[in-house]
Amino acid sequence: MLNVPSQSFPAAGSQQRVAPAGQSRNKVALKPGHSLLDWIRLTKSGRDLTGLRGRLIEVTEEELKKHNTRNDCWTCIRGMVYNVSAYMDFHPGGEAELMRAAGIDSTDLFDQVHRWVNYESMLKECLVGRMAVKPSPALQAQTEKTESTHLNGLSAPPPLRLEPLSAPPPAKDHRPRYDWFQTDGTVNIVVYTKRKIPSSGCAVVDLQGDALRVEMLLGKMSYLLYWRLSSEVQGRVDVQTAHSVGKVQVCLRKSAKDKWTQVGQPLELHDTFTQCKDRGLFYRECVLVSKTEVTHDTQVLRLQLPPGSRMQVPVGRHVYLKTSVQGTDVVKPYTPVDQTLIPPAQSSAEMGLHIHLMIKIYPDGVLTSHLANLPIGASLSVGGPEGSFTMRVLRDVTHLYMLAAGTGFTPMARLIRLALQDLTLLRKAKLMFFNRQERDILWCSQLDELCTKEERFEVEYVLSEPADSWKGRRGRIDACMLQNFLERAENSKCLVCVCGPTGFTELAVQLVRQLDFSEEEIHIFQG
């Protein structure tokens, strides 16, 4: 519900988005003078956007419900109430979508499509106050019971201890565990994930000051270790991964050769195993070290992580770029790629030192135009990784088909390499790549090179606005194209992955279903 370049991941109308079944989320044309930059200017103009002249109040549920009209619209996100009336004309999803949040706690609605957005920064001038705490029925009943027993001259029962509701933990055998050991100069944390790790890795390690955060991204689950270290260490960390046995070792170098009795004091959520979607975003400051031109309007940005960080982004996951534009934080998600489609072999110690992002530059894009002008050596905050793609959907796949349009190619880039390297049963991987013109094809020469080197891989290009000299396929996606492309070999297990603009993706999925592919045989990259 905030006016950022991308409302969710991927953004509506972007190359990596499809609306959930039965829903449509179209961007609306904003009036002149109602862009993101215009909103930022308005928030800094000194105008009273709350109607309270700078006062902060405590808002009851009854009071919140009263403010549910176009010109008097309050909503609550994570316990904080905002007056979003002034934002109506700036919202890319339109007034109707914002009005869905009018007069209610819209946290769940917000999380469905905007969970990563830094709404505190975007709406800080619209802050009305905090929601009043409403006692839970259980606590209220306990209080009444306590008062009643005192009236009868009896001693009060022990206070009721309320535990937060949470999903039941996974089976004990599936929970990762850790151990640690030390030498005179090092401290080593070893995580046993109890499952095979993809060649792309799964460890995200951050040493910030005296705090060490180690996260394992294991399918839909996240395992977190988090300490305030017992003693000072040097700023660099090393990570070694034994993929086949699922072991990850993090090595720290002691600043002094003293003996540690423990790794450190546990911090919040230490040694927890939970759904990835329930983890908060964690950011680290990265440095832009290079820009490489891919096409006339697309670049690969290479970001170097700080010495104390290692980020092994699982295939199909995305990260978040956050930077300040005119004093306001702007955040947008991107799917990392490798430095090239056919990267040189890396040791596990070298993995996770850099993040490569393939970004299309839009002249009127607030963030992308900022990135285009960003000098080498500048800093960017990188959060995540996040995403729903897991290796489970690739289990026993023999034929992998990919339908991509434009920058919808980015999740396919690493998926191709993963499939060819890690899927032992794979017999064929085929990409049908849709673009407007030949100059728009991303990594065209590398795709062609991979075809010559790897007999299991094929690529077919389709252009909607080709030059007269183009000898390949022309037009837009249709049933005839897919019928010839999506072949079912004998004793095969197929998976069709789709990524592109909303219209393309919805049509592609509809056509694939008409060819009798089941829901389990279709994966839509939608973050």
Side-chain angles (χ1 to χ4, degrees):
M1 285 181 282
L2 303 181
N3 191 357
V4 293
S6 170
Q7 291 175 283
S8 63
F9 184 74
S14 83
Q15 302 285 12
Q16 301 185 47
R17 164 114 186 201
V18 61
Q23 298 183 29
S24 176
R25 290 184 42 79
N26 297 320
K27 293 181 72 173
V28 300
L30 297 175
K31 301 174 184 177
H34 288 80
S35 68
L36 170 61
L37 289 177
D38 293 315
W39 172 251
I40 293 174
R41 294 188 190 103
L42 176 61
T43 62
K44 298 184 181 302
S45 67
R47 174 179 162 185
D48 178 17
L49 300 180
T50 67
L52 299 176
R53 299 182 179 179
R55 291 185 299 118
L56 293 177
I57 64 174
E58 189 174 64
V59 183
T60 64
E61 187 175 341
E62 292 71 23
E63 180 66 22
L64 178 63
K65 290 178 181 178
K66 296 176 183 177
H67 302 272
N68 62 355
T69 65
R70 165 67 174 80
N71 296 317
D72 183 19
C73 183
W74 291 11
T75 192
C76 174
I77 306 175
R78 294 188 177 85
M80 306 304 290
V81 179
Y82 299 89
N83 184 344
V84 295
S85 309
Y87 188 63
M88 287 288 175
D89 292 333
F90 294 84
H91 185 229
E95 175 185 328
E97 183 180 343
L98 200 55
M99 284 300 296
R100 293 169 62 198
I104 65 171
D105 186 329
S106 61
T107 303
D108 290 342
L109 181 64
F110 178 88
D111 284 348
Q112 289 173 17
V113 289
H114 307 89
R115 188 173 86 82
W116 50 272
V117 171
N118 190 346
Y119 63 90
E120 297 98 329
S121 175
M122 298 293 295
L123 293 179
K124 60 186 176 183
E125 300 302 328
C126 301
L127 181 63
V128 171
R130 187 185 299 274
M131 280 296 291
V133 177
K134 186 176 181 180
S136 70
L139 183 59
Q140 191 169 3
Q142 180 64 32
T143 303
E144 293 171 355
K145 182 178 178 181
T146 301
E147 292 173 351
S148 175
T149 56
H150 275 294
L151 287 174
N152 291 324
L154 302 175
S155 60
L160 181 66
R161 181 180 178 183
L162 299 178
E163 297 290 347
L165 295 176
S166 60
K172 188 175 181 179
D173 287 345
H174 295 161
R175 180 187 173 89
R177 66 178 183 86
Y178 77 94
D179 200 353
W180 73 285
F181 65 92
Q182 62 183 312
T183 67
D184 286 346
T186 66
V187 171
N188 300 270
I189 296 100
V190 183
V191 180
Y192 304 93
T193 66
K194 301 182 182 178
R195 65 212 74 197
K196 184 178 178 180
I197 295 173
S199 58
S200 55
C202 69
V204 182
V205 180
D206 291 283
L207 173 63
Q208 296 185 351
D210 61 353
L212 176 68
R213 187 180 188 275
V214 178
E215 184 177 8
M216 299 291 136
L217 301 172
L218 306 169
K220 295 182 179 180
M221 303 298 290
S222 161
Y223 180 60
L224 180 67
L225 300 172
Y226 202 10
W227 293 280
R228 189 165 305 284
L229 297 175
S230 292
S231 191
E232 186 177 348
V233 296
Q234 298 177 21
R236 177 185 172 86
V237 300
D238 290 323
V239 179
Q240 294 281 353
T241 303
H243 300 99
S244 60
V245 297
K247 185 177 79 170
V248 178
Q249 181 170 319
V250 179
C251 179
L252 309 173
R253 292 174 175 82
K254 298 177 180 177
S255 294
K257 294 184 178 181
D258 51 357
K259 204 73 171 176
W260 291 25
T261 57
Q262 59 181 6
V263 176
Q265 292 296 322
L267 296 176
E268 186 179 9
L269 302 178
H270 170 70
D271 198 17
T272 54
F273 189 45
T274 188
Q275 295 272 344
C276 291
K277 63 182 180 65
D278 294 332
R279 290 271 188 235
L281 281 178
F282 189 87
Y283 283 90
R284 68 284 297 160
E285 287 296 310
C286 299
V287 176
L288 177 63
V289 293
S290 71
K291 298 180 183 179
T292 304
E293 188 174 284
V294 179
T295 67
H296 62 102
D297 62 0
T298 305
Q299 301 175 342
V300 170
L301 273 57
R302 185 183 187 190
L303 305 177
Q304 181 175 303
L305 277 84
S309 294
R310 294 292 181 272
M311 184 186 287
Q312 299 173 357
V313 181
V315 169
R317 306 291 179 96
H318 52 271
V319 299
Y320 297 97
L321 282 190
K322 180 171 72 172
T323 190
S324 179
V325 178
Q326 294 194 6
T328 296
D329 285 343
V330 178
V331 187
K332 190 171 182 180
Y334 291 99
T335 301
V337 297
D338 291 317
Q339 186 170 8
T340 64
L341 188 62
I342 313 173
Q346 286 184 317
S347 69
S348 63
E350 296 173 317
M351 289 172 56
L353 294 172
H354 296 88
I355 297 289
H356 298 87
L357 302 176
M358 186 178 287
I359 296 177
K360 184 174 182 177
I361 305 299
Y362 296 92
D364 57 349
V366 174
L367 181 58
T368 60
S369 58
H370 175 81
L371 295 175
N373 296 317
L374 203 63
I376 302 301
S379 294
L380 287 165
S381 293
V382 177
E386 280 198 342
S388 61
F389 185 82
T390 71
M391 288 292 292
R392 185 178 297 275
V393 301
L394 296 171
R395 183 174 296 171
D396 300 329
V397 166
T398 61
H399 288 69
L400 175 63
Y401 299 109
M402 293 161 281
L403 306 174
T407 51
F409 167 71
T410 55
M412 308 301 184
R414 297 182 69 214
L415 177 59
I416 291 169
R417 293 306 308 161
L418 174 76
L420 296 174
Q421 290 177 0
D422 287 14
L423 302 189
T424 56
L425 299 179
L426 186 74
R427 304 204 297 265
K428 183 66 68 177
K430 296 171 66 175
L431 169 68
M432 185 172 279
F433 195 1
F434 296 80
N435 287 278
R436 292 178 59 194
Q437 301 176 358
E438 188 172 1
R439 68 174 186 162
D440 297 319
I441 301 175
L442 303 170
W443 276 352
C444 182
S445 61
Q446 294 191 46
L447 287 166
D448 292 341
E449 181 184 353
L450 184 60
C451 283
T452 62
K453 289 184 175 181
E454 176 55 74
E455 61 181 13
R456 294 176 296 166
F457 178 67
E458 296 177 10
V459 62
E460 191 168 349
Y461 306 110
V462 184
L463 300 183
S464 59
E465 300 176 8
D468 293 340
S469 58
W470 176 251
K471 297 180 180 179
R473 275 192 181 270
R474 298 165 178 257
R476 301 179 185 277
I477 189 168
D478 60 34
C480 183
M481 283 184 192
L482 296 189
Q483 193 162 19
N484 297 326
F485 181 75
L486 301 174
E487 54 187 350
R488 280 191 183 273
E490 187 177 354
N491 297 323
S492 63
K493 180 177 179 181
C494 301
L495 179 68
V496 184
C497 293
V498 184
C499 191
T502 304
F504 167 85
T505 304
E506 290 178 346
L507 178 56
V509 171
Q510 178 184 340
L511 294 172
V512 172
R513 288 170 179 158
Q514 290 174 2
L515 293 173
D516 295 327
F517 284 83
S518 67
E519 297 300 316
E520 291 72 27
E521 294 176 311
I522 303 172
H523 181 82
I524 304 166
F525 282 102
Q526 56 180 350

